[in-house]
Amino acid sequence: MANIKDVAKKAGVSISTVSNVINGTKFVGEELTEKVNEAIKELGYQANEMAASMKRKSTKNIGVILPNIGMVFFPDILKGIEAAAKENGYKLFYFSTDYDFEKEKEYLELLRSGWVDGIILDSCCPVENIEEYQEILVNKETEKNVP
């Protein structure tokens, strides 16, 4: 698979020029932009989203955890979240817990491990665990603090 260096070499430009064309971060003239885009197409280059997200310190992903997508109103809620996310340049990861609190905690830890910039959670936490769970969710001391 081609990388950004391959594209730069093929187009006869610097890596930063390729980056600027891909990300639209700085102005690149029409002629150079065409060369870069042709090289991208010829080589079948696809940006490494994981590397890009590490560099910009943002995944542009939002995690959504719901108890059951089959509930009457959840599909509409999910569609609304997706539309707002897309409008703002984000993508969604969606998980359904089937009202299994242990599954919910697993999904939450997975998402908090760096997959997303934020989490939307409709919890199925048992009432007797709610205070403890809230502490875990809002604990600012952990490195896993995700909005």
Side-chain angles (χ1 to χ4, degrees):
M1 175 162 283
N3 62 38
I4 196 166
K5 290 179 184 175
D6 298 328
V7 173
K9 186 175 180 181
K10 176 93 174 156
V13 299
S14 69
I15 294 169
S16 61
T17 299
V18 175
S19 177
N20 289 329
V21 169
I22 291 169
N23 299 313
T25 48
K26 291 186 179 174
F27 174 78
V28 178
E30 191 175 321
E31 185 179 326
L32 289 182
T33 299
E34 281 183 35
K35 282 184 179 182
V36 170
N37 286 330
E38 284 176 24
I40 288 170
K41 188 175 180 180
E42 285 178 32
L43 296 172
Y45 171 76
Q46 290 186 316
N48 181 334
E49 267 306 308
M50 189 72 95
S53 69
M54 286 172 55
K55 186 171 183 174
R56 69 178 176 254
K57 294 183 171 126
S58 170
T59 64
K60 301 301 279 181
N61 295 322
I62 296 172
V64 180
I65 303 173
L66 299 173
N68 184 341
I69 192 61
M71 296 288 290
V72 175
F73 51 89
F74 281 138
D76 288 335
I77 289 173
L78 197 54
K79 283 181 185 177
I81 293 169
E82 185 176 26
K86 185 176 182 180
E87 189 175 300
N88 289 283
Y90 284 83
K91 293 185 176 86
L92 296 185
F93 283 110
Y94 162 71
F95 297 92
S96 179
T97 65
D98 299 317
Y99 291 96
D100 181 335
F101 185 53
E102 291 306 310
K103 193 188 281 190
E104 176 181 310
K105 289 191 291 188
E106 287 175 27
Y107 290 149
L108 188 60
E109 278 309 302
L110 174 70
L111 292 173
R112 291 175 80 187
S113 69
W115 284 38
V116 296
D117 295 335
I119 300 170
I120 297 172
L121 170 65
D122 184 354
S123 182
C124 63
C125 179
V127 174
E128 61 272 10
N129 297 41
I130 198 76
E131 286 183 27
E132 175 188 341
Y133 195 44
Q134 286 175 331
E135 284 290 318
I136 293 168
L137 292 173
V138 298
N139 186 350
K140 302 277 188 221
E141 282 71 51
T142 71
E143 290 186 23
K144 296 180 179 179
N145 186 32
V146 177

